[in-house]
Each structure stands twice: as structure tokens, then as C-alpha cells.
Amino acid sequence: MTGRRSTPHRLSSRRVKASMLSAGALVACASLAAGCGVVSGVTGGSGGDTVTVMTMAPEKTKATNKPGMPAMAKAYARWINKGGGINGRKLNVITCNDQNDSVRAAECARRAVKEDVVAVVGSYSQYGRSLLSPLEAAGIPYIGGYGLTDDEFTSPLSYPVNGGQPALLAGLGRELATNCGPVALVRPDTIAGDELPVLLDSGLSAEKHAEAADLRAADDATEYSRHAEQAIERATSDPTGKKGCVVPALGDRTSTFMDSFRRIADDYPSVRTATVLGSVDQSVINATGRTYEGSYVTGWYPASSDSRWKAMRDVIQKEAFGDNRIDASDAGVQTTWIAYEVLKKTVESLGDGEVSARTVRRALDDGLKIETAGLTPTLSWAFSDLIAASGFPRLINSNVTFQVVRDGQLVAARKGFTNVSRILENAG
């Protein structure tokens, strides 16, 4: 057990207060610099002709790993620097492995402060509060986090590029409500996992569907036979016989769950499966035969085969050929690419002026609009661009894509993006 599940409604007032206090502290420090000490980045965290940033993600752990994110960051830096840098400034990327550990996540953040980075960019961590607290104290922006924790959508120094788990689960719930009978969710028994059923249910209830059965599981297990049995039993509990849906959302362990699911599925009535991008991608589908055939998948971005990813694919081909850590279909790699595009365009907007944590943050707060070649809507973090989701005050991009596995390929289930902001506004 990880404690009572927290809903966006229960947490909203506490999160908003925390955001206001953090923002107030930053303003106070800016006005009373002598009393607060030196704020990291204010005196030129770019190091003159160098822009130093950090990307952090877990690697070589027993749970979810995202080695492609720091690898993509390094490849991006090589590509940018070969072209003369950003406005003539070299991009220096520091990487840190948080090892899926809260203490290590905080250590990575403190290292970012020590290195006087301009921003932490394109990163993944299950421990948003542990890493964001040191960054907030130092005034360092967190650009393009993976969107795994609610803290990424409440911290005044977080600049998310996607709708994170909130948008994915709300969107998936909406999609399943019209296609499924009973829904069973299998998710990690962690603090981050505690939020998933609330979000999935918000999408289901928006279409007058019953809530999902909530099945907790260890996120580092080696098999899930018991959980697969429970999920199928719940998904086939409709007396009318309407086909139910099983939703594994276990990160890297989703494939392990599906192995267990596949072994026992023939002994039960047929059910559909569905999940979110990040728990499955094209490489996983390729490695598992027809296990995911017909599965619904909700993502943040266009399908990996979409031509809008050409620029990223070209960089991977040129700067990381043979690096099997980088999978162009991985949502983490894609998020890191977009986050670095945000960084690049923000630094470019500063021209020949100072590049520091303070100036980068100010440019973003002042409503700089950033285009991402259609991979997301136009990104801007001005107050007027925030959606009215009380539990997620920093969320600006509530678009999702619906995909389906057909003939072993993850393809668009419908054209374009679907906006789930209204569902999120009513969540909880």
C-alpha cells in the first residue's frame, strides 16, 4: 500500500497553494537578492558561450527505464553543435540517472543546481516533488518533463509539452467508454500509480460509463498471472455479454503482464486490450507478435510513422546511428526531442542577450509561442494559455491521439488530435 488514493479534487487546493507559495518565494528572492542568496542561473548559467542543461532519466533498474531520453539529448547536442550551436552558443548536456529512487532524483536536481544549468530538459522521473523542490529553490526551469507525476503540472517552474498521464488516461477512458463493456485497469502500486484510476474514470464517466476496476500490481514483478486472471474476470463480468477491456498501464512491465495475459487468455471469454503510449510502442509490438493486435493506444503525438517526425529521425540517423538506446517510436525519446526544440527556440528568442535560468524562465512566462512542426499545438505557458483544470494548473496541451494496432502496426485510429481539456476540468 502506498497510502490513500488522492484525487485531483482532493489535491487541487493543496497543489494550488504550493504553486502560489513557490511562485511567491521566487518573486521575493528576486526582490531581496541579498536575503535569499544567489539564485542559480541569474548570473549567467550559460557559461558565456555555452548553454549547459541537464537531462535525467532512470537507466538499468528493475522498473521502468528510459535510456533513450538522455541518449536523444546527447544526439541533439551533437547535431546542434555541428551546426554552430544555438545563436553561436555551444549546447552542453549533462545527464543523470535517477535510478527510480527519490533520493537519487533529489541528488540529480542538486547536481543541476551545482552545475548552474540553464534548465532541466526532456526528463523522466517518478519522483517529481523530490527533483522539483531543489530546482524551484534555485529558480531553474523544468522544460518538457515526461508528464508522469502531478507535480509536473503544479510547479510554477515546470513547462510541460504534453498532457502527461492526466490527458492519456482521460482520453483513453473516453475512447473505451464507447467501445467496451466493463473495464479493468492494472497499474503500479505506487504513489504515481494511485492517480491513474481517477484519471481513467474521468474519461469513462464523461461518457456515462461505469468506473474501471482498479487492480494494483508491483511495477518490478517478473510475472502477472494472478493479476491477468483478475483483470479478465472483471472485464467479463457484464451479464449482457458486452466485451470488456483490460488496460495494463505498467510502463516497461506492460509487456511482462501481456505475456502472462496471453498464456491464460484462451481459458476465458474474449476481451479487448488497451493501454497508453509509454507502456507500449511499435518496438514492443514488433517483439510480441500478435499480442497487441486490435489494442487501443492513446498517445500525445502523431504515430511514429508520421512524416512530422522526419527531422528527429534524420538527427538520430546522423548522430546516433547504431545506438539501440534510441527508439524513434518511444514516447520518452519523442518528448525529449520536443523539449529540446522548445529550449532551442527559447534561447534563440534571447538573441545576443544573457542566457540563464532567469532569462529562459522569463521568456517562457512572458508568453513566447513555440511551434513544433505540428507534433503538438503551439506551445505557450502564459497565464491565459493554461487550461482550467484545478488539479493541474500548469497543463497547457490537453491534446491526445487515438491509435490502434492493425496488422502489427500502430496506426492512427482517427485523424488529428482530440482535446480532452473539458474532461480534465471536470475530473474529480
Side-chain angles (χ1 to χ4, degrees), residues 404-421:
V404 65
V405 182
R406 292 182 183 146
D407 298 324
Q409 296 296 310
L410 194 58
V411 298
R414 63 178 68 173
K415 187 176 181 180
F417 294 98
T418 298
N419 191 291
V420 296
S421 60

Side-chain angles (χ1 to χ4, degrees), residues 97-422:
N97 179 5
D98 87 341
Q99 300 174 10
N100 278 321
D101 179 83
S102 61
V103 174
R104 183 59 178 159
E107 288 176 354
C108 285
R110 287 193 291 269
R111 181 184 170 197
V113 174
K114 182 179 179 181
E115 298 281 355
D116 200 22
V117 303
V118 164
V120 174
V121 184
S123 299
Y124 178 109
S125 180
Q126 295 190 52
Y127 300 98
R129 180 43 40 199
S130 295
L131 75 93
L132 282 164
S133 291
L135 298 183
E136 288 172 351
I140 296 173
Y142 185 70
I143 300 173
Y146 188 83
L148 189 66
T149 69
D150 290 348
D151 298 287
E152 297 172 58
F153 299 98
T154 59
S155 170
L157 268 69
S158 179
Y159 301 86
V161 299
N162 59 44
Q165 296 295 314
L168 289 185
L169 269 297
L172 184 62
R174 174 179 167 177
E175 184 76 354
L176 299 187
T178 58
N179 292 290
C180 300
V183 176
L185 171 68
V186 185
R187 52 84 171 183
D189 188 8
T190 62
I191 292 174
D194 287 346
E195 295 297 329
L196 304 189
V198 181
L199 298 164
L200 182 65
D201 289 343
S202 69
L204 290 169
S205 62
E207 301 296 329
K208 312 301 181 185
H209 192 287
E211 292 184 350
D214 178 20
L215 304 176
R216 304 182 184 200
D219 64 352
D220 59 355
T222 56
E223 68 91 30
Y224 292 96
S225 296
R226 180 173 61 86
H227 297 90
E229 290 174 358
Q230 292 176 336
I232 295 176
E233 288 170 358
R234 298 292 185 90
T236 56
S237 62
D238 189 337
T240 68
K242 185 174 182 180
K243 186 179 289 189
C245 290
V246 173
V247 182
L250 294 163
D252 281 1
R253 285 298 187 269
T254 297
S255 292
T256 305
F257 172 88
M258 290 301 290
D259 286 341
S260 299
F261 176 89
R262 184 178 64 249
R263 285 195 296 269
I264 69 169
D266 289 343
D267 297 330
Y268 292 87
S270 175
V271 297
R272 295 184 176 95
T273 56
T275 189
V276 294
L277 209 63
S279 287
V280 64
D281 56 32
Q282 188 60 54
S283 65
V284 172
I285 294 167
N286 293 342
T288 54
R290 297 184 61 83
T291 299
Y292 291 95
E293 189 65 24
S295 293
Y296 301 109
V297 181
T298 305
W300 297 302
Y301 315 122
S304 59
S305 58
D306 193 284
S307 61
R308 283 169 284 188
W309 291 110
K310 183 179 184 303
M312 182 187 75
R313 289 182 179 279
D314 287 347
V315 170
I316 294 172
Q317 177 71 18
K318 293 174 182 176
E319 304 300 335
F321 181 77
D323 188 342
N324 58 16
R325 294 175 299 170
I326 303 180
D327 178 358
S329 67
D330 178 77
V333 169
Q334 294 170 350
T335 299
T336 299
W337 168 264
I338 293 170
Y340 271 88
E341 285 288 276
V342 170
L343 174 76
K344 174 177 175 287
K345 293 175 183 180
T346 304
V347 172
E348 287 175 342
S349 75
L350 299 174
D352 294 330
E354 175 191 354
V355 178
S356 65
R358 177 180 61 83
T359 59
V360 167
R361 198 175 67 241
R362 178 181 294 174
L364 295 172
D365 289 341
D366 286 348
L368 177 67
K369 297 188 181 302
I370 297 176
E371 302 292 337
T372 61
L375 296 172
T376 68
T378 300
L379 299 175
S380 176
W381 293 269
F383 181 79
S384 59
D385 297 309
L386 306 176
I387 73 169
S390 61
F392 312 103
R394 296 295 293 173
L395 201 156
I396 62 164
N397 175 12
S398 53
N399 283 4
V400 297
T401 58
F402 295 116
Q403 301 170 36
V404 65
V405 182
R406 292 182 183 146
D407 298 324
Q409 296 296 310
L410 194 58
V411 298
R414 63 178 68 173
K415 187 176 181 180
F417 294 98
T418 298
N419 191 291
V420 296
S421 60
R422 190 158 297 177

